[in-house]
Amino acid sequence: MLILTKEDIKKVFTMKDAIEADKEALKIYSKGESVVPLRVNIDIPKYEGQSLFMPAYAEGIDATGIKIVSIFPKNIEMGKPSTPAQMILLDGKTGEVSAIMDGTYLTQLRTGAVQGAATDILATKDAKIAVLFGTGGQASAQLEAMICVRDLDEVRVFDINESRAEEFVEDMKVKLAKYNTRIIAVKDGNEAIKDADIITTVTTSKRPVFNGSLVKKGAHVNGVGAYTPKMQELDEGLIKKADKIYFDTKKGVLAEAGDFIIPMEKGIISNKDFNGELGQVILGEILGRENDDEITLFKTVGIGVLDLVTAHRIYEKAIKSNVGTNIEI
């Protein structure tokens, strides 16, 4: 059994690798070649905690896995992460555990990468300006994914906490220096999006974070952060205005994302306004962007097959590069 830390994963796996893994995962899901049961949530009231178990199986890559994510707010008092996570990867042929890896970093990587996959497929090829809303734990991967798939001149970063945005930008200038993209903090998100080619939101906001009427023709928008029925990063006007709308999984988005649940309940939009899943675009079953004037919109809430395929690819590369710690049990 191979043990892989965050640093081990970084040695063998890039954002580009993760984007390709997510594209494969979306294809597998849209073809109906994966099994993704509902996650199991166990409350731990004694410690005000919760543990979530998220399994998946993909026959085509002979792999099974389960990501375990726990939410224990009091961990911070002990100097421990409040949301520890691990991914357990099993050999689909034998059922043996083949690897255990850092699930927190895996989640950041695959979540950034699924947005990167959508941006690669749906954004205009000559996109030069992007805007990122939110600077939390997912933000760095979201930023890298955008500049990984497009040769961007500038990314504007907005957060309701200005100093946090400035600190994030300074950190990213160092960590993402190899991309040669100008990264700046901005104080007005609405002003920032007016000429933006790509807009990505990764917040937990319960109200829209920008005015959708200001989005220009040809822009591509990624909604990443709103993952409950009460959260709503994207305004209803933008969703109505978008020429084409795609999901990572239609079932997941319409069950979990307030961005779509809220306007559907109001009768502003309906099923006929949705084009389908990104995996269907990759498979050639439905059309993606058809011209440079279309506003395209992608919404993701995540699914276990993204973790599974990404973890399997990481494991394969780690074995090939002799990275990680092998243990016998």
Side-chain angles (χ1 to χ4, degrees):
M1 184 168 64
L2 190 64
I3 306 298
L4 294 168
T5 65
K6 176 180 179 178
E7 294 308 314
D8 291 331
I9 296 170
K10 283 184 171 182
K11 288 176 185 176
V12 299
F13 212 70
T14 66
M15 177 56 74
K16 186 175 180 181
D17 292 330
I19 289 168
E20 292 309 309
D22 275 7
K23 287 180 180 179
E24 181 64 23
L26 293 171
K27 282 199 297 183
I28 289 170
Y29 177 82
S30 289
K31 286 168 73 176
E33 295 178 352
S34 63
V35 179
V36 188
L38 290 174
R39 69 185 182 192
V40 175
N41 296 1
I42 298 179
D43 287 322
I44 320 289
K46 183 177 179 181
Y47 299 103
E48 297 179 19
Q50 186 181 54
S51 291
L52 291 71
F53 300 82
M54 304 162 67
Y57 168 65
E59 181 180 355
I61 59 172
D62 285 325
T64 308
I66 183 166
K67 186 170 75 174
I68 304 173
V69 182
S70 293
I71 304 166
F72 280 66
K74 289 188 175 181
N75 280 4
I76 295 173
E77 298 169 11
M78 298 181 282
K80 294 176 177 286
S82 61
T83 314
Q86 301 294 336
M87 179 72 189
I88 302 171
L89 185 67
L90 287 75
D91 187 310
K93 296 176 184 176
T94 67
E96 297 172 300
V97 174
S98 51
I100 298 176
M101 65 185 71
D102 184 317
T104 303
Y105 184 60
L106 172 69
T107 303
Q108 291 171 346
L109 199 57
R110 68 83 157 154
T111 306
V114 76
Q115 175 264 110
T119 299
D120 190 29
I121 292 164
L122 299 173
T124 55
K125 298 303 179 185
D126 62 349
K128 292 297 179 184
I129 297 173
V131 181
L132 175 66
F133 286 84
T135 60
Q138 289 287 346
S140 60
Q142 296 296 328
L143 176 57
E144 182 174 9
M146 286 191 290
I147 61 180
C148 180
V149 298
R150 288 293 183 272
D151 183 19
L152 298 176
D153 292 334
E154 182 175 279
V155 179
R156 301 159 183 169
V157 178
F158 177 84
D159 193 285
I160 54 173
N161 184 318
E162 289 182 21
S163 62
R164 191 165 59 199
E166 290 167 0
E167 289 171 11
F168 174 81
V169 164
E170 291 308 309
D171 188 34
M172 291 301 102
K173 284 179 180 177
V174 176
K175 290 182 178 177
L176 302 179
K178 65 179 180 179
Y179 289 102
N180 297 313
T181 297
R182 183 173 179 242
I183 305 169
I184 61 169
V186 296
K187 295 181 179 181
D188 188 333
N190 283 328
E191 192 63 33
I193 67 166
K194 287 181 179 178
D195 61 345
D197 304 299
I198 302 165
I199 302 166
T200 296
T201 59
V202 58
T203 77
T204 56
S205 180
K206 292 185 178 179
R207 60 184 183 186
V209 297
F210 64 84
N211 182 348
S213 70
L214 301 175
V215 175
K216 74 170 190 177
K217 285 185 177 181
H220 171 65
V221 181
N222 299 295
V224 180
Y227 53 86
T228 74
K230 299 296 183 183
M231 293 180 184
Q232 190 179 21
E233 296 181 302
L234 308 176
D235 79 14
E236 295 153 7
L238 168 66
I239 292 173
K240 189 67 178 174
K241 179 181 177 181
D243 295 289
K244 291 185 175 172
I245 297 173
Y246 305 91
F247 306 135
D248 57 350
T249 72
K250 183 177 179 180
K251 182 179 179 181
V253 169
L254 298 187
E256 298 177 15
D259 285 330
F260 287 87
I261 292 171
I262 294 168
M264 286 186 77
E265 287 176 346
K266 292 180 180 179
I268 294 171
I269 54 169
S270 65
N271 268 300
K272 65 180 176 59
D273 296 307
F274 311 141
N275 294 77
E277 295 173 344
L278 191 63
Q280 294 175 284
V281 181
I282 298 169
L283 289 166
E285 295 176 356
I286 61 175
L287 291 172
R289 175 180 290 276
E290 294 182 82
N291 62 65
D292 287 350
D293 285 336
E294 287 180 327
I295 294 174
T296 54
L297 174 59
F298 173 70
K299 176 62 190 173
T300 173
V301 292
I303 188 170
V305 72
L306 295 169
D307 296 302
L308 177 62
V309 176
T310 304
H312 186 257
R313 292 271 187 97
I314 290 169
Y315 173 71
E316 288 181 324
K317 294 199 77 170
I319 290 291
K320 190 173 181 180
S321 301
N322 197 28
V323 168
T325 304
N326 275 295
I327 63 170
E328 295 288 338
I329 55 171

